Amino acid sequence: MPFDPSTLKYDAAGLIPAIAQDAATGEVLMMAWMNAQAVARTLESGRVTYWSRSRQSFWVKGESSGHVQELVDFRVDCDRDCLLVTVRQTGPACHTNRRSCFYTAVREGEEVELMAPLL
Amino acid sequence: MPFDPSTLKYDAAGLIPAIAQDAATGEVLMMAWMNAQAVARTLESGRVTYWSRSRQSFWVKGESSGHVQELVDFRVDCDRDCLLVTVRQTGPACHTNRRSCFYTAVREGEEVELMAPLL
């Protein structure tokens, strides 16, 4: 079946959550949002492209930082309201310079930092 | 630092997305939503508990199906607006009886089903 980005289920703001996972290691790197056009651009270009809610503009991941995400596989969930992109991540995915945004764990009621920023 | 669920950033409906990942294999299983009380219940009970938007009630994953998610690690992202729970998943995570909800890929413009339902 040909894929049509308009068949995904977007929220009231026209956005769908997209989880980025390292294709090689399986590490979950980040979660951000796409609109239908960001979905289309990601598939066309092979460069993962989100919609920045704060800047209200397309966000070609790594365009300014160089920390690009090359698309490896694009997945849609059963309800068509969440995406999973597996990627080849250059450098850190997180704006704090950590490999993953999920660097804080909650263990025995305490927040624990698991990763240091990359140098 | 002690963890307080009220310090997370919830959307206008009081919800935060939570990604469930198989702790052993790294497979991303599903994404669902939690409110502050679901976060607290998940941490207290060790059973991953979401908020069902369709039923408007707590959803102890697997409570009716038996396909429970035992919490292994609980992670918060850099912006505190997304969660990652690593879990020991009993049986399929998806209501379609597939291991993961992300069983559809988009490849060369076509939707491709990657996984069959478990028997």
Side-chain angles (χ1 to χ4, degrees):
Chain A
M1 185 167 64
F3 173 71
D4 177 352
S6 73
T7 63
L8 298 175
K9 287 184 200 145
Y10 301 92
D11 70 10
L15 301 175
I16 186 169
I19 302 159
Q21 182 182 32
D22 187 302
T25 66
E27 185 175 25
V28 175
L29 299 170
M30 58 182 284
M31 194 281 276
W33 299 80
M34 293 186 185
N35 58 16
Q37 214 181 331
V39 168
R41 288 184 181 205
T42 295
L43 288 167
E44 282 161 23
S45 68
R47 282 284 172 90
V48 179
T49 302
Y50 302 100
W51 178 258
S52 168
R53 296 179 300 172
S54 55
R55 296 194 304 268
Q56 288 287 301
S57 62
F58 291 104
W59 168 26
V60 182
K61 174 69 181 161
E63 199 173 37
S64 53
S65 66
H67 301 149
V68 296
Q69 293 180 337
E70 185 188 341
L71 182 67
V72 174
D73 206 12
F74 185 100
R75 306 272 182 87
V76 178
D77 84 343
C78 52
D79 293 329
R80 301 181 78 80
D81 64 1
C82 187
L83 302 173
L84 174 67
V85 289
T86 68
V87 303
R88 268 186 287 273
Q89 171 73 52
T90 299
C94 183
H95 74 288
T96 67
N97 231 35
R98 291 171 176 86
R99 181 73 181 168
S100 163
C101 294
F102 296 96
Y103 56 83
T104 304
V106 177
R107 294 179 180 170
E108 296 175 8
E110 296 285 324
E111 296 197 19
V112 181
E113 195 175 303
L114 303 178
M115 280 168 241
L118 300 176
L119 297 179
Chain B
M1 185 167 64
F3 173 70
D4 177 352
S6 73
T7 63
L8 298 175
K9 287 184 200 146
Y10 301 92
D11 69 10
L15 301 175
I16 185 169
I19 302 159
Q21 181 182 32
D22 187 303
T25 66
E27 186 175 24
V28 175
L29 299 171
M30 58 181 284
M31 195 281 276
W33 299 81
M34 294 187 184
N35 59 16
Q37 214 181 331
V39 168
R41 289 183 181 205
T42 295
L43 288 167
E44 282 160 23
S45 68
R47 281 284 172 91
V48 179
T49 302
Y50 302 101
W51 178 257
S52 168
R53 296 179 300 172
S54 55
R55 295 194 304 268
Q56 289 286 302
S57 62
F58 291 104
W59 168 26
V60 182
K61 174 70 181 161
E63 199 173 37
S64 54
S65 66
H67 302 149
V68 296
Q69 293 180 337
E70 185 188 340
L71 182 67
V72 174
D73 206 12
F74 185 100
R75 305 272 182 87
V76 178
D77 85 342
C78 52
D79 293 329
R80 301 181 78 80
D81 63 1
C82 187
L83 302 173
L84 174 67
V85 289
T86 69
V87 304
R88 268 186 287 272
Q89 171 73 52
T90 299
C94 184
H95 74 288
T96 67
N97 231 35
R98 291 171 176 87
R99 181 73 182 168
S100 163
C101 294
F102 296 96
Y103 56 83
T104 304
V106 177
R107 294 180 181 170
E108 296 175 9
E110 295 286 324
E111 296 196 19
V112 181
E113 195 175 303
L114 303 178
M115 279 168 241
L118 299 176
L119 298 179

